[in-house]
Amino acid sequence: MRRLRIGLTLRIVAVLVVLGVAAFPLYWMLVTALSSNADLFAERPRLLPDFSQLGVFVEGLGDGKVAGWLLNSLLIAAGTTVLSIGLGIPLGYALSRFSFRGKALLTLVLLFTQMLPEALMVVPLFSLFRRFNLLDSLGGLILANVAFVLPIVALILKGAIDGIPRELEEAARVDGARPLAVLTRVNVPLIAPSIAATAVISFFHAWNEYVFAVTFIFTPEKQPASVGIANFIGELGTPIQTVMAVAFMFTLPAVAFYLFAQKYVVAGMTAGAVKG
């Protein structure tokens, strides 16, 4: 019993250390945002937030620009996540279950697209979007993000579907299920953890994306927060407290979405783990 208690205590300490290391950047942004100029440039850094400086958050949201940037980021990230998963599920299913000419080549092409940096795709995408009047629009930016993240989503879901026994699909067809019903009622519930993982990948890519956003969006009111935060950096000075306050608000929705999706990842991994 003593060894078990010692082992449990060590595991708890290890988990707390890992959580502290992971949460420290977020905490330090809060401390910096709630520091006065004297504390910010003092010889010894301030380790605790000064909540009397909460006005910096009010100032950051005062003119409505930051709230608009955060809303734009949310719309872009949500649209990218929904569209990439909506297209990735049937694409991954087709790559996993159907045989057609050029299947191996298509898989390699999807894999090779992940080796291309975003900066290499900016010029051709800019020319293409200008032709179809997609520049300076959130919809065009969503399409650009989907084009970049869809291959990895499809490949992850293909691997998940490969692990599903075909006998389950055959049993559903014997019961009269159509192909679409087989996909949505048999495969999708079984690959729920992989769908949640790809949702996290898609959301974080679109939420943090900067290169496409700064290139394709011209109107300041349509910019996401990743671009808006960079606009605080001035030629003569940078309001560090304001930047950290906005960055803190920019980070919280991403952390909340990760915690929300993590619940479904765990639930999907433990589904069916009961005695028959």
Side-chain angles (χ1 to χ4, degrees):
M1 291 295 295
R2 184 178 181 182
R3 290 182 178 179
L4 291 176
R5 291 177 181 177
I6 293 176
L8 179 60
T9 302
L10 292 176
R11 285 194 290 269
I12 293 176
V13 171
V15 170
L16 292 177
V17 170
V18 172
L19 289 177
V21 172
F24 181 76
L26 189 63
Y27 174 77
W28 195 248
M29 281 193 294
L30 179 63
V31 172
T32 305
L34 297 180
S35 297
S36 62
N37 289 329
D39 293 331
L40 192 62
F41 297 102
E43 183 177 353
R44 295 182 179 180
R46 186 183 184 89
L47 300 180
L48 297 176
D50 182 8
F51 291 102
S52 63
Q53 303 291 329
L54 282 174
V56 68
F57 288 93
V58 178
E59 294 176 2
L61 296 172
D63 57 1
K65 290 183 179 180
V66 174
W69 294 339
L70 293 174
L71 179 59
N72 293 336
S73 294
L74 182 60
L75 293 175
I76 294 168
T80 301
T81 302
V82 172
L83 189 56
S84 61
I85 292 178
L87 297 176
I89 291 176
L91 179 56
Y93 183 77
L95 293 174
S96 175
R97 291 296 192 250
F98 297 103
S99 297
F100 52 89
R101 183 178 298 179
K103 175 181 175 180
L105 179 61
L106 176 60
T107 304
L108 287 176
V109 169
L110 292 176
L111 182 61
F112 287 155
T113 57
Q114 300 306 299
M115 303 179 185
L116 299 176
E118 289 186 359
L120 190 63
M121 302 173 61
V122 167
V123 174
L125 282 178
F126 187 91
S127 178
L128 184 64
F129 281 18
R130 182 175 60 180
R131 177 175 299 181
F132 290 98
N133 295 323
L134 292 174
L135 293 176
D136 200 26
S137 68
L138 298 184
L141 187 56
I142 290 174
L143 291 177
N145 290 325
V146 170
F148 193 82
V149 78
L150 178 59
I152 190 61
V153 170
L155 291 176
I156 291 175
L157 296 180
K158 172 188 177 301
I161 296 174
D162 286 340
I164 299 176
R166 293 178 180 266
E167 290 77 9
L168 294 177
E169 299 178 7
E170 294 173 359
R173 294 191 185 97
V174 170
D175 292 337
R178 296 187 177 183
L180 182 59
V182 172
L183 175 61
T184 57
R185 297 184 180 182
V186 176
N187 291 281
V188 170
L190 293 176
I191 63 172
S194 298
I195 293 177
T198 55
V200 172
I201 294 174
S202 303
F203 186 90
F204 272 79
H205 170 80
W207 185 264
N208 296 320
E209 202 281 323
Y210 177 81
V211 176
F212 290 158
V214 77
T215 305
F216 299 150
I217 301 297
F218 313 135
T219 306
E221 289 75 14
K222 296 181 181 180
Q223 291 177 341
S226 58
V227 178
I229 293 175
N231 293 334
F232 282 109
I233 301 176
E235 183 177 353
L236 301 178
T238 300
I240 299 178
Q241 292 93 334
T242 303
V243 172
M244 287 299 173
V246 176
F248 182 81
M249 292 184 288
F250 176 65
T251 306
L252 285 182
V255 174
F257 176 77
Y258 174 77
L259 295 176
F260 172 79
Q262 185 186 33
K263 177 179 65 175
Y264 289 94
V265 172
V266 176
M269 292 176 64
T270 57
V274 297
K275 293 182 179 181

